[in-house]
Amino acid sequence: MSALGGAAAGGEGINPMGSAIGIVVLIIAVAITAIMAPAALGAIIGVIIGGLLIGFGVHFVPVGGAPAAMGQAPGIATGVAMLAAGAGLAGLFGGAWAAANPAFGIAIVIAAGAVGGGLMMAITCLMVNIIYVFGMGIPSASGKVDKDPITGDSQPEYKSQGTEGHGLPFISYVGGVIGGLLGGAGGTLIYYELLQVYSAALPALFNAEAAEVLPVAVSLAGIFAIGMFLVNAVLAAYNITGTIEGPHDPKFKRFPRAIIGCAVASAVCGLFAILIVVV
Amino acid sequence: MSVQITASEGGIPHDTLMAVGLIGSIVCLYLTYLNGATGTDVFSFFGGLAAVFALIWGTDTIKHLCSYGIGTGVPSAGMIAFGTGVIAMLLATQFDGMYLAPIMAVVIGAIVGFVAGFLANNVMNMNIPVMIRSLTEMAIIGAIVIMGLTAVMAGGFGFDALSVTMVQILGPLEATSYASSLLGGCLIAVAFMLGGIALQHPFNACLGPGEQQDRTLMLAAECGFLSMIVVAAISFAFVSMFAAVISLIVAIAGWYYTYAKYIELSRRDAYAWLNAKPILEPKGEA
């Protein structure tokens, strides 16, 4: 492979050796947490599930990159990581708002995060289609399937020659919203679990009132959640290698690899994030 | 599908740049400890210089990685660098008491980056020869840049110092405040995004035919100083007025020099690309 301008890698199938090593790393990270911070064992499992949700959710998000900007591919004209980060951070706002209210339990917090992420994706998909259809004058058509799996509408008649489809077909729109829901829920779960750890440990660490150190706990949990969100989103983007239409795209079948990868990455990042209150 | 990315060959070898970037940034981070030794905070600006060193190194790493068609665009590489880097940097601040924070940022960054690189290469089947090494380097770079920018803002990078500030009430009375500290105000997120943009922008802006290493790296330094201007402005809230003014002057002077150099190099490459001669400004006649 040349060092310059090589083709995008990322074939099909699971690498058994790499996945096995990854799962061993995950178990080691959980074991270290269990020994050094037994109270945070539940939190690291929550963080792993959160990362896994993000990695899975990213595969639903329709991304077209530069070809979509030129109307040559369905999807939103930006990178997977950027879009997933947008949905996740929007979800985090919703989740953080709900987490600040002590009356709300974990279910409501995560639901609020999911709604935030899903809403962001729904608005983005809507505006993208308005620009495509009314601004650029191109109909939405998928290049990967003949019939839209949800509406049953025929696609090839609307697809321009030489393109992979264009606009944002209904299935991609629905996929985007599902991706936003999962991403927002995953990011919020990471934030919520870390917030529990920090708000329990920081008052003792600083010898201060819980309410006084709450801003530090919120800030730490927030920045760690953002960091882990980006790690998971980029790893999932590497799995997709560029563009994806949504759940009907053949690339979607690669998601098991991303789930393994994101779970391992979240376990290692989560371990370090929890160690900050232990060392 | 991937977009072919053309990058120049030759120039300063990557290993040399890595050595200069790593040693330069660690030395600069340690120079900020002069703040504690002398009891002032005028040496905060060394943090910004550490960030600039690391950004120059990081831009070359991104160029190295993204010259393979990774298919996700250059910005995603910058995002994972800072996602892993912020985790390493925050844990490293806990080792500040033993003067180990910069070293620990490198060590923890290397661990997190190696794991991310291994997962990308062996679980996601990217199979890119420089993937593991590049993501390891970039996690270290992310950690160093955030640590450097934090040092400019707060005058240091100890976890306790970042979490607590003394606020004056009615003049002589002082009270501890967690909410108005660097972490409590989540200014770390500002350092995160300023560093992230400065890392991912230069190669993204310069890639393509006619990309030249010296021009790309000059843009990296320019972006670093630009980020430093912003954190120097924020530092007025945390360090003494004198120290903040020094940081601001260093940042503006560095930015002006690198910006002028970058424009000069851009013109040089534009002439070379067009195979044209510089247009001479007419003199004398009005």
Side-chain angles (χ1 to χ4, degrees):
Chain A
M1 190 183 227
S2 92
L4 295 171
E12 305 301 323
I14 288 181
N15 179 343
M17 192 62 194
S19 308
I21 296 174
I23 289 166
V24 171
V25 171
L26 185 147
I27 293 168
I28 293 172
V30 175
I32 295 175
T33 313
I35 295 163
M36 294 191 70
L41 192 59
I44 197 163
I45 291 171
V47 168
I48 293 170
I49 295 170
L52 190 147
L53 280 174
I54 295 167
F56 183 51
V58 167
H59 286 68
F60 283 91
V61 176
V63 204
M70 296 182 279
Q72 293 180 336
I76 299 160
T78 184
V80 180
M82 305 296 120
L83 204 51
L89 298 184
L92 216 53
F93 285 127
W97 164 79
N101 189 335
F104 292 154
I106 182 165
I108 295 178
V109 171
I110 290 173
V115 169
L119 208 57
M120 185 269 177
M121 281 309 303
I123 295 168
T124 308
C125 291
L126 178 70
M127 296 317 289
V128 161
N129 251 353
I130 287 176
I131 291 167
Y132 275 131
V133 176
F134 297 108
M136 295 160 78
I138 45 176
S140 302
S142 166
K144 305 281 183 190
V145 284
D146 287 340
K147 276 192 161 116
D148 191 302
I150 296 176
T151 61
D153 292 339
S154 183
Q155 305 290 314
E157 293 86 340
Y158 302 96
K159 189 169 86 77
S160 308
Q161 281 187 346
T163 66
E164 297 182 45
H166 30 64
L168 214 63
F170 190 72
I171 173 70
S172 301
Y173 193 117
V174 174
V177 176
I178 295 172
L181 287 170
L182 291 173
T188 308
L189 183 60
I190 295 179
Y191 170 77
Y192 186 77
E193 295 292 352
L194 290 177
L195 184 63
Q196 302 303 314
V197 172
Y198 296 142
S199 45
L202 284 183
L205 201 69
F206 290 118
N207 198 13
E209 299 266 330
E212 275 185 303
V213 291
L214 192 64
V216 178
V218 168
S219 167
L220 269 182
I223 195 77
F224 275 130
I226 292 171
M228 282 183 225
F229 201 97
L230 287 172
V231 171
N232 287 313
V234 174
L235 283 176
Y238 282 161
N239 194 32
I240 296 167
T241 55
T243 62
I244 188 166
E245 273 188 29
H248 61 292
D249 194 300
K251 282 184 181 176
F252 183 77
K253 295 195 190 82
R254 293 183 189 171
F255 76 82
R257 295 197 310 217
I259 285 188
I260 299 170
C262 291
V264 179
S266 307
V268 174
C269 294
L271 168 68
F272 286 133
I274 287 168
L275 282 183
I276 195 168
V277 289
V278 178
V279 292
Chain B
M1 66 182 287
S2 76
V3 179
Q4 180 166 340
I5 292 175
T6 320
S8 65
E9 287 173 332
I12 307 166
H14 180 63
D15 289 343
T16 315
L17 265 173
M18 186 182 100
V20 172
L22 184 62
I23 295 167
S25 53
I26 290 183
V27 167
C28 285
L29 282 179
Y30 269 103
L31 284 174
T32 59
Y33 276 121
L34 285 173
N35 277 344
T38 55
T40 60
D41 39 23
V42 290
F43 297 102
S44 308
F45 69 89
F46 277 114
L49 299 183
V52 172
F53 267 110
L55 286 169
I56 292 174
W57 161 29
T59 297
D60 208 58
T61 308
I62 286 202
K63 176 175 159 179
H64 228 64
L65 174 65
C66 292
S67 61
Y68 293 88
I70 55 173
T72 58
V74 177
S76 70
M79 285 290 118
I80 198 169
F82 277 80
T84 47
V86 73
I87 292 163
M89 177 268 173
L90 278 172
L91 183 54
T93 55
Q94 283 285 25
F95 297 91
D96 189 54
M98 293 166 276
Y99 298 102
L100 283 175
I103 301 289
M104 286 310 284
V106 173
V107 173
I108 301 166
I111 297 172
V112 184
F114 180 84
V115 170
F118 173 81
L119 292 171
N121 221 16
N122 294 33
V123 177
M124 311 300 176
N125 285 352
M126 294 287 281
N127 297 324
I128 290 175
V130 295
M131 191 83 193
I132 296 182
R133 182 182 160 179
S134 296
L135 285 193
T136 309
E137 281 179 31
M138 286 208 289
I140 299 171
I141 291 156
I144 291 176
V145 171
I146 301 176
M147 191 169 258
L149 296 180
T150 307
V152 177
M153 283 194 273
F157 32 71
F159 185 67
D160 296 340
L162 296 183
S163 312
V164 192
T165 41
M166 303 300 284
V167 283
Q168 290 188 327
I169 306 165
L170 301 172
L173 288 174
E174 279 198 324
T176 53
S177 169
Y178 296 93
S180 53
S181 67
L182 194 119
L183 270 180
C186 210
L187 284 167
I188 193 102
V190 178
F192 182 100
M193 282 325 288
L194 284 174
I197 294 166
L199 181 62
Q200 72 195 21
H201 175 64
F203 183 61
N204 214 18
C206 293
L207 66 84
E211 192 269 342
Q212 292 295 325
Q213 191 194 42
D214 54 355
R215 176 162 54 97
T216 308
L217 297 186
M218 192 57 74
L219 182 58
E222 195 246 88
C223 290
F225 282 116
L226 209 51
S227 297
M228 192 179 161
I229 292 177
V230 179
V231 290
I234 294 173
S235 75
F236 279 96
F238 294 101
V239 298
S240 66
M241 178 73 112
F242 184 61
V245 167
I246 287 183
S247 295
L248 197 58
I249 289 171
V250 170
I252 291 175
W255 171 76
Y256 182 78
Y257 175 77
T258 48
Y259 178 74
K261 272 289 199 198
Y262 173 68
I263 293 294
E264 197 181 296
L265 291 172
S266 298
R267 286 185 171 166
R268 177 202 71 188
D269 292 343
Y271 300 140
W273 181 243
L274 294 167
N275 198 13
K277 294 229 160 41
I279 301 165
L280 298 171
E281 300 283 338
K283 284 177 187 163
E285 299 163 25

